[in-house]
Amino acid sequence: MEIKKEVLISATPEKVWTVLTNFESYPAWNPFIKSVEGKVEVGNKLTVTIMQSAAKGTTFKPKVLTVQPAKELSWLGRLLLPNIFDGEHKFELIDNHNGTTTFRQSEKFSGILVPLFRKQLENNTATGFEGMNRKLKELAENK
C-alpha cells in the first residue's frame, strides 16, 4: 500500500530543502510531523513524532535510508520486527528547471498489520501529507 501526495512550489529545490530539513522549526509550522531529532545521515536512527489526528501523536525511531541534498530524503520505520508494520517514508524534490520544484511526499506500507489500519492510513496519513505539503509550500515561497 502506498500513499503519495505532491505539490508544485514556486521556489528552487535548494530553498525547499532548507525549509524541509530545518527540523528545529517543525513544531512552529508542521501540522503532521511535529518533531525530528537526530543526525540525518544514512544508517542513523531518528526520533520522529507525527500527529495522525488533532489529539493523538505517535513517536517512532526510523532508520535513514537516503540523503541527497535538494533531491531526496527517506527513512524506514517499523513496529517491533520487520514485516509486522513497516513504512518507508520519502520526500522527493523534483527540479522543474524553471525556478519551481515538485515536492512529492510518499510512504509505502508493508507488513501483516497494514490491512487492519488501511482505512486510517488512507484518511489520516493522506490528510497529514496534504497539510504538511501546503505549509512547506507557503514557507518556501515566502523565504
Side-chain angles (χ1 to χ4, degrees):
M1 175 189 168
E2 182 173 16
I3 295 172
K4 189 183 297 185
K5 297 292 178 182
E6 64 182 42
V7 65
L8 179 65
I9 301 176
S10 295
T12 64
E14 292 76 17
K15 261 190 188 175
V16 176
W17 182 261
T18 297
V19 175
L20 178 68
T21 57
N22 181 3
F23 301 123
E24 295 80 26
S25 71
Y26 271 31
W29 71 266
N30 196 326
F32 180 59
I33 302 176
K34 295 312 285 182
S35 72
V36 176
E37 297 172 6
K39 194 160 183 159
V40 181
E41 291 181 353
V42 173
N44 279 1
K45 291 254 186 186
L46 303 173
T47 301
V48 177
T49 301
I50 60 169
M51 296 300 286
Q52 289 282 23
S53 67
K56 190 175 172 196
T58 303
T59 299
F60 59 101
K61 295 184 182 280
K63 180 180 177 182
V64 178
L65 300 178
T66 59
V67 180
Q68 297 175 12
K71 291 185 192 252
E72 184 178 308
L73 171 62
S74 69
W75 61 58
L76 177 65
R78 28 178 63 120
L79 179 65
L80 302 173
L81 301 168
N83 301 316
I84 293 177
F85 188 92
D86 298 344
E88 183 179 338
H89 199 110
K90 188 181 287 188
F91 304 102
E92 297 172 271
L93 291 75
I94 300 153
D95 188 346
N96 296 318
H97 302 289
N98 62 2
T100 69
T101 303
T102 299
F103 176 75
R104 182 178 300 140
Q105 184 172 189
S106 63
E107 187 140 8
K108 286 183 186 173
F109 296 97
S110 60
I112 60 172
L113 293 182
V114 170
L116 297 174
F117 295 100
R118 183 178 195 93
K119 194 63 122 180
Q120 180 181 343
L121 292 169
E122 287 173 343
N123 293 332
N124 295 343
T125 303
T127 301
F129 284 10
E130 289 168 347
M132 178 179 168
N133 291 4
R134 210 172 21 255
K135 292 299 281 181
L136 178 67
K137 172 183 172 71
E138 185 182 305
L139 283 174
E141 290 180 348
N142 291 320
K143 270 214 163 264

